[in-house]
Amino acid sequence: MARFIKPNGLHRRLEGWPLVFTVLVTISILVGGLVEYLPMVLIDDSVQRIESVRPFTPLELAGRDIYIREGCNNCHSQTVRPFRHELERYGEYTKAGETVYERPFLWGSKRTGPDLYRVGGKYPHLWHVRHMEDPRSTSPRSIMPPYPWLLEKPLKLDDLPRKLRVLQRLGTPYSEVEIAQAVDDARRQAREIAAEVEAQGGPAGLADREIVALVAYLQRLGTDIRTAETAPAPSAPAPSGPAPSAPAPSGPALAAGE
Amino acid sequence: MEQTRTTPASTTAAPGSSNVQLFSYDEQIVRLFVLATVIWGFVGMLVGVLIALQLPFWPANLGEYLTFGRLRPLHTNAVIFAFAGNAIFAAIYYSTQRLCKARMYSDLMSRIHFWGWQAIIVAAAITLPLGLTTSKEYAELEWPIDVAIAVVWIVFAVNFFATLQRRRERHMYVALWFYIATIITVAVLHVGNSLALPVSFMKSYPIYAGVQDALVQWWYGHNAVAFFLTTPFLGLMYYFLPKAAERPVFSYRLSIVHFWSLVFIYIWAGPHHLNYTAVPEWAVTLGMLFSVMLWMPSWGGMINGLFTLRGAWHKLRDSVVLKMFVIGITFYGMSTFEGPMLSVKSVNALSHFTDWTIGHVHSGALGWNGFMTFGMIYWLLPRLWRTKLWSERLANAHFWTGTLGILLYVLAMYASGITQGLMWRAFDEAGRLMYPDFMETVVQIVPMYWVRLIGGLLYLSGVVMLMVNVYMTIRQAPKSLPDPTFAAPAPAAAAQPAAA
Ligand code: HEM
Ligand code: HEM
């Protein structure tokens, strides 16, 4: 070591060889990447699948892209940590297997607003419509921006087949039929949501507005494992991987962080 | 420490020796980058102040294109890639030429780098408010812009390495090591994290999903901090601080040890952004361990910086440049102490998702990146424009308002972050959440948001003072600023073993 770093040592020589120096730097920065990240990226089984977790429907996907466009992730996280206070506030903590269709992941880094991972089913559709139009109408002192244009802008669905196709290429299991019928399917789901909003006493004619897609997405969030829990047959999340239980990400669910 | 000739050309024309070459430095490119730094710094921080206002005062969300969700990425991209980015390019183009005793390899490539980078920033400023975003932090720009970034970066790299190759100085000074690490690593990270399949001209889906996407993103995100906001600024420090203090660097050995350990360890620390998430336990624990280890090499840099001033502390009194540098390095030390602490799981359990992170970010960003940049600019201004700085007093006023701004900003965020973190986890005696309504925890911290706004405004007014000083200094500069010429032995004389 001393030989290496002394004023006229080996390192001094290295400083005269930019090429060698650059190669060594490259190796140094690649080691961590290769050991720590690459296994996760290459080994598909490193994330245990959960059978009840399904890809987003076309309309939910459109809503998700609106969520991304509006940058909701800058204020809302989408990942519940395994602490008692978070389980009480938000619900079950997020499992790796639930995230496999999240392209991109939207876990966020800041909770200016509450976590949304389990918001699906928490409120009626109409609540979300009112809240997005004017957050102060449902949460009096809210600091969330209003998004009234979501109730006005026409919902664009024509690019859905292409979106599903790209996701299919990347590994999301959309069938050919689903891709071919993506637009019709989205329209049907949009009509259902709009009808329910109207039935709850909300504004009519939202079926072709962006807001229905966003509501569809929000109502889907975090519900896949709930469906599994209420379903009669196999008990709770049935992982297809080798291990019998869903991966507990970071230690025991209830103990940490108190 | 290297010796840079500052004598005018006429006196250095070496007599007789055929081995001596005359050459000049491209100073115009440095001037361009300095101006871009100041202008984008103002824009980026103005957006910062606007989003700081939007949080306590929602009516400041000005319609569809200017909501918080769309402007926050604009702020981060503008301050990181436009303000800090142009600043490090100014530092690199100024110091590399002098450390290599060679003009940049290609003036054309330098221009392509400059204008290409500005075009990318403009593209970001247009697309982000339009909602065209990938959502991945610090990598929000969509794929066509990502491609442009890669191309411009390659031009920069070729120009830089070709300059190294033509150097007339045998050994590469430590600043150059940090520049090499920056250029290589940013290229690797940018490409690795941006891999995506396009759906249309401005929409794509990443090739990674869920947990994998999260890991790759924070491999990138954390090392954007490391290799965009840290290593190039250390290079800047190693060049400009000894210049301004007129002292050699404190320890050559320390610079070797801390350089290699920093470069090696930083990459591993990414998963500390994913504590307690669905990412596998082993990855997160590795991330935490390496983050704690990172404290040492980080402080190695701080110590080498501060101790370079040994015996020169009295110079601080009349050098605004040194004052800026000292505050900058001190904040570097503070944020790199805080960072490892925040990586520890039990601390992160409290701090994650709160304003504590925002406080940490801005102690690094405003203190370290901002003040190192300002110090460099105040040092460069008289040299690049060959006149006196227009007003030392104004520069001092900038120093004090800026420092006060940082303190208000950072303290407000610590108070709000810890308050909110504690309120989220509080239980009452019956074992129920004490504050089940999320809004209770928001209302509590709104006053802190106002304090942060004041801090931000102070800091921004410091930047305005800088702009005035830059403008007035340039106004009094001579009309023509020809590149200075120098003389040095030809590269062949300074034989280069393997690299040639
Ligand atoms: C006038 C000065 C500035 C003000 C008022 C300001 C304000 C803000 C605000 C309000 C946020 C959003 C915080 C939140 O979501 O709760 C933010 C985020 C951020 N700012 Fe600044 N900022 C300033 C300068 C800077 C500078 C100079 C840099 C970098 C060189 C910077 C880097 C960042 C980063 C990286 C984030 C994102 C942090 C995260 O995601 O955790 N800011 N800033
Ligand atoms: C030893 C050095 C450092 C370590 C170990 C470190 C560690 C951390 C940790 C643990 C977080 C919080 C992650 C979370 O809970 O979400 C964080 C966030 C951050 N740090 Fe550091 N930090 C270091 C130095 C710095 C420096 C010098 C800067 C310069 C400006 C910086 C910029 C940031 C930014 C921008 C974020 C926010 C990322 C985001 O959530 O968007 N860090 N850092």
Side-chain angles (χ1 to χ4, degrees), chain A residues 110, chain B residues 48 51 72 75-76 79 137-138 361-362 365-366 409 452 456:
Chain A
K110 181 79 207 310
Chain B
I51 60 173
R72 188 190 197 265
H75 163 63
T76 56
V79 286
E137 269 186 276
Y138 320 129
V361 169
H362 289 86
L366 304 178
Y409 190 124
R452 184 249 307 270

Side-chain angles (χ1 to χ4, degrees), chain A residues 52-74:
Chain A
S52 64
V53 173
R54 300 288 311 142
F56 296 104
T57 68
L59 187 67
E60 290 158 8
L61 188 68
R64 193 170 199 268
D65 286 338
I66 294 173
Y67 185 94
I68 291 172
R69 182 190 76 196
E70 297 298 342
C72 312
N73 52 297
N74 287 296

Side-chain angles (χ1 to χ4, degrees), chain B residues 7 40 62 84 120-121 124 133 147 174 213 223 241 245 255-256 278 291 316 372 404 418 447 464 470 480:
Chain B
T7 30
W40 290 123
L62 306 168
I120 287 164
I121 297 165
T133 170
V147 172
V174 46
D213 195 33
N223 292 297
L241 178 70
S255 53
I256 296 175
S291 306
L316 249 64
M372 295 307 284
L404 188 63
I418 294 172
V464 173
V470 169
S480 107

Side-chain angles (χ1 to χ4, degrees), chain B residues 245-261:
Chain B
E246 298 168 304
R247 287 278 188 287
V249 158
F250 169 63
S251 165
Y252 168 69
R253 288 171 195 229
L254 182 57
S255 53
I256 296 175
V257 174
H258 103 98
F259 171 79
W260 287 103
S261 45

Side-chain angles (χ1 to χ4, degrees), chain B residues 333-355:
Chain B
M334 280 168 34
S335 53
T336 55
F337 170 74
E338 186 186 25
M341 183 172 77
L342 290 177
S343 323
V344 175
K345 282 189 186 175
S346 52
V347 180
N348 196 263
L350 179 77
S351 72
H352 190 55
F353 291 138
T354 73
D355 280 326

